[in-house]
């Protein structure tokens, strides 16, 4: 099964004309061919292991995609998220956005072990995250793109950055947009990248406020379809059940498509941060409507925005290091 999915992934990557950018950063360039000579099978190795993991558990695709997002929004795309607490380092895994929810670290470990055996201290953990995010998208039916490569890994983490920089499910629209703009992203990127919620799950604790007390007056959020809200309340009570999981996209939870935007138009966006894309800003509302109508347009912009996000403050050249183990800095 995993082998057939891996073949399908490789075929998909070759069949479509992918988006590609060569990006100049402080200290050097990121470009898709970075490992062509130093580790020619790097991308194939990542693809194979991600395919195996997703074949074993479909939810893993969304988990790996989320790791890249949560990494890039804190200190840039430098794999700081992967570091465990050690010495002076307090792991970002302990932050509110990541604690008891960030997952997929074992898959990254497996990829890193395989690459270290093949090309010791060559492929960075930051690049592994970027490739795994792309491959997870493709495996679930989404678009492909050429991933600019050449990032280095950080030698530190930022718990405060993780707590403050990553948009929260109950943030207001302007707060979310501001957090994107700080990273050099705009409203188009915000709406397109939010479309990644077409796959994956959310915990009850991520949207309970919307079901019972969104406005602070004890009343439910009336931008939520009431029938859908009633269904959610059966497994997400006022208290308890915090870790109960719900599909972010109930229509096609394991398929990467534009049904997420169709759900929002029907007032069935699960998270507050989903539904406010329609109700709180005219520009984002128009984008939601466009992507709901045109899956190809969504795919095209999602690929562009993923490349743009992957280029947030990477460490290149002499800055940073290539970790031997993604969980700890080199000694």
């Amino acid at each position: 099964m995993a082998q057939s999915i891996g073949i399908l992934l490789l075929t998909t990557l070759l069949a479509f004309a992918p988006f590609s950018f060569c990006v100049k950063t402080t200290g050097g360039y990121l470009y898709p061919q970075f490992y062509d000579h130093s580790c020619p099978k790097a991308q194939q190795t990542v693809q194979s292991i991600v395919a195996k993991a997703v074949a074993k558990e479909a939810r893993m695709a969304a988990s790996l995609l989320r790791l890249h997002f949560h990494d890039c929004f804190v200190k840039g795309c430098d794999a700081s998220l992967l570091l465990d607490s050690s010495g002076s380092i307090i792991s970002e895994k302990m932050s509110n956005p990541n604690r008891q929810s960030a997952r997929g670290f074992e898959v990254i470990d497996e990829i890193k072990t395989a690459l270290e055996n093949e090309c010791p201290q060559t492929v960075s953990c930051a690049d592994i995250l970027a490739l795994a995010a792309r491959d997870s998208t493709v495996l679930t039916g989404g678009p492909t793109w050429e991933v600019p490569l050449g990032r280095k890994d950080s030698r530190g983490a930022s718990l405060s950055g993780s707590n403050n920089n990553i948009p929260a499910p109950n943030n207001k629209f302007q707060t979310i947009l501001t957090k994107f703009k700080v990273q050099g992203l705009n409203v188009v990127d915000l709406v397109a990248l939010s479309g990644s919620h077409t796959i994956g799950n959310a915990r009850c604790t991520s949207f309970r406020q919307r079901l019972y007390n969104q406005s602070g007056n004890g009343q439910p959020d009336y931008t939520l379809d009431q029938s859908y809200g009633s269904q959610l309340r059966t497994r997400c009570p006022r208290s308890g059940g915090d870790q109960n999981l719900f599909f972010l996209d109930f229509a096609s939870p394991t398929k990467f498509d534009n049904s997420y935007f169709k759900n929002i138009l029907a007032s069935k966006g699960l998270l507050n941060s989903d539904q406010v894309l329609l109700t709180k800003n005219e520009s984002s509302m128009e984008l939601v409507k466009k992507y709901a109508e045109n899956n190809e347009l969504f795919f095209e912009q999602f690929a562009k925005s993923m490349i743009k996000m992957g280029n947030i403050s990477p460490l290149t050249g002499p800055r940073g290091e290539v970790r031997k183990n993604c969980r700890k800095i080199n000694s």
Side-chain angles (χ1 to χ4, degrees), residues 8-21 43 47 130-131 133-147 256 296 298-307:
L8 174 62
L9 173 60
L10 186 58
T11 302
T12 304
L13 290 172
L14 294 173
F16 294 95
F19 298 94
S20 176
F21 291 88
Q43 295 201 43
Q47 292 164 7
L131 288 168
R134 189 272 310 276
D135 294 345
S136 294
T137 302
V138 174
L139 280 165
T140 49
T144 188
W145 61 92
E146 286 191 316
V147 179
F256 199 101
E296 184 177 345
F298 163 49
F299 276 20
E300 179 180 345
Q301 185 56 54
F302 184 82
K304 291 179 180 178
S305 293
M306 282 296 291
I307 292 171

Side-chain angles (χ1 to χ4, degrees), residues 99-266:
R99 189 172 59 248
Q100 295 183 308
S101 65
R103 59 197 301 276
F105 299 109
E106 294 79 7
V107 178
I108 302 300
D109 290 341
E110 184 178 352
I111 294 170
K112 184 58 175 173
T113 297
L115 289 172
E116 284 300 300
N117 289 334
E118 187 174 335
C119 318
Q121 216 168 339
T122 300
V123 182
S124 70
C125 301
D127 279 344
I128 291 173
L129 284 174
L131 288 168
R134 189 272 310 276
D135 294 345
S136 294
T137 302
V138 174
L139 280 165
T140 49
T144 188
W145 61 92
E146 286 191 316
V147 179
L149 301 167
R151 301 167 188 81
K152 293 289 185 65
D153 301 322
S154 71
R155 293 184 55 83
S158 176
L159 181 64
S160 62
S162 187
N163 278 322
N164 296 324
N165 297 355
I166 298 172
N170 60 353
N171 278 163
K172 295 180 179 180
F173 177 84
Q174 194 56 49
T175 300
I176 299 171
L177 181 59
T178 298
K179 289 182 177 181
F180 269 71
K181 286 184 174 180
V182 166
Q183 305 297 341
L185 304 173
N186 57 32
V187 67
V188 177
D189 302 312
L190 164 57
V191 178
L193 293 174
S194 294
S196 63
H197 286 178
T198 183
I199 56 175
N201 298 7
R203 297 175 296 159
C204 168
T205 187
S206 298
F207 60 89
R208 175 185 283 120
Q209 183 183 14
R210 185 162 188 231
L211 296 179
Y212 300 104
N213 193 24
Q214 179 71 17
S215 60
N217 60 8
Q219 297 299 313
D221 178 2
Y222 291 108
T223 64
L224 176 68
D225 178 84
Q226 294 304 293
S227 176
Y228 182 49
S230 295
Q231 295 176 35
L232 296 173
R233 290 185 193 97
T234 61
R235 292 187 54 244
C236 187
R238 287 182 182 272
S239 61
D242 287 4
Q243 305 305 315
N244 289 350
L245 294 175
F246 296 77
F247 292 131
L248 285 162
D249 172 5
F250 72 91
S252 56
T254 60
K255 182 180 180 182
F256 199 101
D257 58 22
N258 66 340
S259 60
Y260 163 81
F261 298 104
K262 297 176 182 179
N263 293 340
I264 292 176
L265 290 179

